[in-house]
Amino acid sequence: GAGNFKTKTTLGMLLKDGTTVDEMVIGGPLSNCKKIARLDEIVKVDGVPVTAANIGSKMIGSDVPGSAVILTVRKHQGGGLLEVRVVRMRTQEIADRRRLFELFTWLLDNNKAAKEPEPEKKRAEQAHDTVKHCITLWTGMMQSGAEHNEEVACNVQALQRQASKLNELVRLALEAAQKDEDGAPVRAAAAEQRATLAE
């Protein structure tokens, strides 16, 4: 269960030498963003420079599934800097995905056909090909799901911004109505806020 984990969320990676990406879990946030590679170095988290000492707490951040974090990465290939927005995933969800991948890998490793008699060898080869096909399909589903989740998260954030602007419009209108009974300030505040909403 989720109680086995120290945090509620993860980005789905292991680091080496403190800040260098060593491994990414297939289907995890970092793997799905397709912008970060093994041996890239994370130099900032949400604009704050990181070291081996503080990177863990900075990446955990609010520890809320679905919350975003901005990673500034020094690319291993070329050394350029890149900012990448990644959405945190529930730790249990990525643990389940990792376990499924491990099971697929175990099936492949333990289904070697070379030493089998001919009829069994053919069945083993077919099973091996089937498992490889399952891994390919599963990986595609995980990436597609991540893209969908990212789109939903962006839409929710846009709606939250709009709701905040509308809330401010109502607040300004109420304040203006209380200050001036003729309604002129209400119309001015409303017009100004509508112009802001249109942006």
Side-chain angles (χ1 to χ4, degrees):
N4 299 335
F5 302 107
K6 293 179 183 176
T7 62
K8 293 180 229 167
T9 62
T10 182
L11 297 178
M13 71 173 149
L14 296 175
L15 298 172
K16 71 175 187 177
D17 303 327
T19 58
T20 301
V21 177
D22 186 37
E23 182 184 335
M24 294 180 284
V25 178
I26 293 175
L30 219 61
S31 170
N32 288 339
C33 84
K34 301 177 189 168
K35 295 178 182 173
I36 297 177
R38 188 173 179 278
L39 300 180
D40 286 353
E41 180 187 4
I42 299 171
V43 294
K44 291 182 185 178
V45 175
D46 289 330
V48 177
V50 290
T51 64
N54 71 351
I55 192 168
S57 63
K58 296 296 179 195
M59 287 181 31
I60 292 168
S62 63
D63 202 22
V64 174
S67 61
V69 59
I70 305 295
L71 303 178
T72 305
V73 176
R74 179 174 291 114
K75 298 297 291 175
H76 176 69
Q77 295 290 330
L81 290 180
L82 176 68
E83 274 196 0
V84 180
R85 180 182 180 275
V86 183
V87 177
R88 294 177 179 96
M89 176 184 279
R90 277 187 330 103
T91 304
Q92 182 63 51
E93 186 178 350
I94 203 163
D96 293 345
R97 291 177 182 193
R98 183 180 180 118
R99 180 66 183 138
L100 186 56
F101 185 76
E102 288 169 353
L103 289 171
F104 280 140
T105 303
W106 181 87
L107 282 171
L108 281 176
D109 290 344
N110 288 288
N111 195 17
K112 301 295 183 204
K115 297 178 185 172
E116 300 288 341
E118 204 52 45
E120 288 80 12
K121 180 178 179 179
K122 183 169 180 151
R123 271 199 308 268
E125 287 172 348
Q126 289 172 336
H128 183 268
D129 291 344
T130 300
V131 171
K132 282 180 76 171
H133 184 65
C134 287
I135 291 173
T136 302
L137 290 173
W138 176 75
T139 302
M141 287 173 17
M142 292 300 102
Q143 290 173 340
S144 176
E147 290 165 4
H148 171 75
N149 291 345
E150 178 73 15
E151 183 179 337
V152 168
C154 289
N155 289 340
V156 167
Q157 289 172 354
L159 287 171
Q160 288 171 332
R161 286 191 298 273
Q162 287 294 328
S164 179
K165 288 178 181 180
L166 288 171
N167 188 38
E168 182 64 12
L169 174 63
V170 170
R171 187 188 65 75
L172 288 172
L174 289 173
E175 281 180 9
Q178 289 174 351
K179 290 180 182 176
D180 188 1
E181 293 181 14
D182 74 0
V186 174
R187 287 189 297 276
E192 181 179 320
Q193 196 63 22
R194 277 194 301 273
T196 303
L197 285 172
E199 295 174 357

